[in-house]
Structure formats: C-alpha cells, structure tokens
C-alpha cells in the first residue's frame, strides 16, 4: 500500500525537481530515518528463541503485551524445562511425549537445543523443499521486477505526457493494493499470486496489439509484486527468514538492472517486442508458482524440518491436512 503511495507522489517530485540529481536526493535522503528503527523496533521473539536467547524473547513479549494493554499468559515465563533435545518455555512436558525427537506442544514456545549457526546460501538449497522454494521465489522476484520496471519505463517511449501517464498508471495500483488486503485472509496467498501473474502475462501480450490494456497489466503485476514479499517470508523458517528474503529479493535488484536494457534493446527491433518477452516471463512464472504450497492459516515454520513438512498441507483454502508445526508464538 505505502509502496504504491510512494509511486503516486513520485511524478509530482519529478515535476517539481527538474534535475535527476535533485530527484535522487529527494527520494534517498528520507531513508536515513530508518536508522532510528534500531532503537524503536524490538527484535523478533521468534528469532531470539532460535538463537537460544529465551530471556530476551520473554522480555520483548512482556513489553509487547504491556503496550497492547494485556498481560502475557503465565506459562510464558523465563523458566525453561529441558526434555529430549527440546526446551519449552514455561511448560512441563506431559507423559504423552515419550522421548520424541522434536516435542510438539500446543500454544507453547519451543526452543531447539541444536547448535546455533549462522545461515548460509547453502542452507537455502540443501533440502528438496527449500531448494524448490528458493529457485521459484528467485525467478518470481526477477520476473516481477523486470515486468514492473519495464512497464514503468515503457511510458517514456510511448506518446503522451510522461508525468500524467505515470500518475494515472500509479493511481491504478491503489485498487490492486486494496484488493490484496481484502482477499489474502479470505482465499489465501497462492491463488491470487498465480492468477495475478497469469493475468499480467496475458495482458502484456494483448497490450502489444491493444495499448489500452496496459493498465490491466500494470495492476496485475503490482499485485504479484506485493504478494511475493508476503509469500517469500512465510515459506522460510525463522532461522533463515531474513537471510532467505534478502537472497531471493536480490534477484529483484538484478531484474531492475536488466529491465532498461531489455526494454530499449528489444524496442529498437520492434517497439512492442518487450511486451511479448514480459508475457512469456509471467506465464512461466505463474506455472512455477502453482508448485508452491498455500500458507494461509499455517503457523510460520521455525526450522528447515518444518518447511519440509509443508508438502503435507492442502493447497485448498490454506487448510492443513496435518498439524505438525512444532512451535507456536
């Protein structure tokens, strides 16, 4: 939503500041404000638990509950109980858990006794599910970046007022952002992600012959761009979530670099040729996205083992066939 609002005001900034150096300063200097987040935003309790820092995690959760005007449940305490390769904060294992390798405790916080290690790129491709998710998400990031940036840059090579055209197409992104907010908790993430990517591909193809359809392509690829952030973060375990999103979204930067070269070089051959390429990229991406599981209603995975179990979840409406995620917060 706020990304779209930024795109909406960008043509106004460009109109008021005629030099590219001024535009660069106006759009980048405000980012230094984010440095203040270090002292304002608390660390993720999930991540702290994955690093065996249960005391810090408990303090953060108590602080969050206090600011929300609530009290943390008594079983969330700083006491820990060791039990067969697992540590559960504030809960004594019951008899039903007879030395399992990983304990499943409803509404409790599980902390693994495994050695804490820093994530590496190899961790993203070491197991079958992680490897599949990583490769698909990398391609999804690359495709959405190339197509989105390409459609934006294409405004500069077609007739019309650049500022007005940019503003109008940016305004059309707002309904897409609102639609995502309305549907992701009702019908899930996977279906809107797949449909929007397919629609973007088909619309790009039609735009090559009916230019007015470009608005539909812009709206659809905006939805894909918004959803790839969400899906990427929900498919990776806590220990690799930030690292995995950073690595996969790196393909977004590469796509942004490739986009102008792809657009202008292909446009020299035929002005609508880039749209044909965008269509192929999106359709292939939509096919690959169908291989991802639905994450609606599923607890965030804590470990790589939890990610591997995602194959056991139904792809329909985000309802699971089995409840085997072993940690809750």
């Amino acid at each position: 939503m706020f990304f779209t609002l930024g795109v909406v005001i960008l043509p106004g900034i460009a109109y008021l500041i005629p030099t590219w150096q001024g535009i660069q300063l106006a759009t980048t200097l405000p980012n230094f404000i984010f440095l203040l987040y270090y002292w304002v935003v608390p660390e993720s309790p999930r991540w702290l638990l994955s690093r065996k820092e249960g005391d810090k995690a408990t303090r953060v959760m108590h602080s969050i509950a206090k600011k929300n005007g609530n009290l943390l449940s008594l079983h969330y305490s700083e006491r820990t109980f060791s039990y067969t390769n697992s540590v559960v904060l504030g809960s004594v294992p019951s008899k039903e858990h007879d030395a399992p390798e990983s304990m499943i405790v409803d509404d409790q916080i599980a902390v693994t006794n495994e050695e804490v290690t820093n994530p590496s790129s190899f961790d993203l491709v070491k197991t079958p599910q992680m490897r599949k998710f990583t490769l698909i998400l990398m391609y999804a990031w690359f495709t959405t970046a190339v197509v989105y940036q390409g459609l934006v840059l294409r405004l500069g090579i077609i007739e019309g007022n650049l500022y007005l055209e940019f503003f109008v197409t940016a305004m059309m992104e707002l309904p897409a952002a609102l639609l995502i907010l309305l549907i992701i908790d009702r019908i899930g993430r996977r279906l809107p992600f797949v449909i929007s990517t397919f629609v973007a591909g088909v619309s790009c193809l039609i735009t090559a012959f009916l230019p007015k359809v470009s608005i539909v392509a812009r709206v659809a690829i905006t939805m894909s761009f918004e959803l790839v952030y969400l899906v990427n973060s929900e498919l990776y375990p806590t220990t690799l979530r930030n690292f995995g999103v950073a690595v996969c979204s790196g393909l977004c930067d590469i796509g942004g670099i490739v986009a102008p070269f792809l657009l202008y070089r292909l446009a020299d051959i035929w002005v609508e040729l880039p749209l044909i390429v965008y269509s192929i990229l999106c359709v292939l991406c939509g096919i690959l996205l169908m291989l991802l599981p639905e994450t609606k209603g599923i607890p965030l995975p804590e470990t790589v083992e939890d990610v591997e179990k995602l194959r056991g979840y139904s792809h329909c409406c985000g309802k699971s066939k089995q409840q085997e995620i072993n940690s809750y917060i």
Side-chain angles (χ1 to χ4, degrees):
M1 173 63 77
F2 289 98
F3 172 84
T4 301
L5 291 175
V7 175
V8 170
I9 67 173
L10 186 59
I13 295 174
Y15 183 80
L16 295 173
I17 305 175
T19 63
W20 69 265
Q21 295 94 335
I23 296 173
Q24 283 286 88
L25 290 173
T27 55
T28 55
L29 287 179
N31 288 289
F32 284 99
I33 297 175
F34 292 120
L35 294 175
L36 300 175
Y37 281 26
Y38 180 82
W39 294 277
V40 177
V41 179
E43 188 56 81
S44 164
R46 285 180 177 272
W47 186 84
L48 289 172
L49 290 174
S50 72
R51 310 300 292 183
K52 294 185 179 179
E53 298 185 34
D55 292 349
K56 289 184 180 180
T58 304
R59 288 197 295 270
V60 170
M61 289 188 290
H62 275 294
S63 175
I64 293 173
K66 182 178 179 181
K67 290 179 180 179
N68 287 335
N70 298 317
L71 292 176
L72 206 61
S73 300
L74 293 178
H75 66 262
Y76 292 114
S77 68
E78 295 182 9
R79 297 179 298 118
T80 60
F81 299 87
S82 298
Y83 183 72
T84 67
N85 299 329
S86 293
V87 177
V88 179
L89 270 67
S91 177
V92 180
S94 62
K95 295 181 180 179
E96 61 181 306
H97 301 286
D98 295 326
E101 291 186 1
S102 60
M103 185 159 47
I104 301 173
V105 183
D106 292 337
D107 300 319
Q108 307 297 328
I109 307 172
V111 187
T112 179
N113 271 340
E114 295 178 359
E115 183 181 354
V116 176
T117 58
N118 292 321
S120 68
S121 299
F122 179 68
D123 293 326
L124 300 179
V125 295
K126 186 162 57 175
T127 59
Q129 287 288 83
M130 288 290 293
R131 184 163 52 249
K132 181 176 74 172
F133 293 168
T134 298
L135 295 177
I136 293 175
L137 289 168
M138 280 183 169
Y139 181 74
W141 275 105
F142 177 81
T143 298
T144 52
V146 167
V147 177
Y148 182 87
Q149 297 284 359
L151 291 175
V152 171
L153 293 172
R154 184 174 174 271
L155 297 173
I157 64 174
I158 60 177
E159 296 181 0
N161 186 304
L162 178 59
Y163 299 101
L164 181 61
E165 292 286 344
F166 194 104
F167 175 76
V168 171
T169 54
M171 286 295 295
M172 293 304 298
E173 292 185 14
L174 286 175
L178 291 172
L179 182 60
I180 290 173
L181 294 176
L182 293 174
I183 64 177
I184 57 173
D185 287 332
R186 290 177 172 81
I187 64 175
R189 289 87 158 118
R190 179 174 170 270
L191 186 60
F193 199 3
V194 171
I195 291 177
S196 61
T197 306
F198 272 124
V199 170
V202 174
S203 299
C204 285
L205 180 60
I206 298 175
T207 300
F209 308 98
L210 296 174
K212 291 184 178 180
V213 182
S214 63
I215 293 293
V216 178
R218 180 73 176 270
V219 170
I221 200 61
T222 297
M223 292 184 66
S224 295
F225 218 153
E226 300 271 357
L227 285 166
V228 70
Y229 284 93
L230 178 61
V231 173
N232 198 164
S233 62
E234 291 184 339
L235 286 177
Y236 280 137
T238 300
T239 52
L240 294 171
R241 187 165 297 124
N242 288 341
F243 181 73
V245 172
V247 170
C248 291
S249 62
L251 272 292
C252 175
D253 299 325
I254 295 176
I257 295 171
V258 170
F261 294 98
L262 186 65
L263 174 70
Y264 297 125
R265 293 295 181 268
L266 294 180
D268 286 340
I269 302 172
W270 178 37
V271 71
E272 307 299 352
L273 184 57
L275 293 171
I276 306 300
V277 175
Y278 300 159
S279 177
I280 296 172
L281 290 173
C282 284
V283 170
L284 178 57
C285 184
I287 294 172
L288 292 175
L289 291 175
M290 289 191 290
L291 301 177
L292 297 179
E294 176 57 68
T295 56
K296 173 180 174 287
I298 296 175
L300 289 175
E302 300 288 352
T303 64
V304 173
E305 288 74 17
D306 292 337
V307 174
E308 293 303 303
K309 293 172 186 176
L310 288 177
R311 71 181 67 187
Y313 286 95
S314 170
H315 289 172
C316 179
C317 302
K319 295 182 179 179
S320 62
K321 292 180 181 177
Q322 56 185 21
Q323 298 293 332
E324 295 189 7
I325 296 297
N326 62 6
S327 325
Y328 296 89
I329 223 173

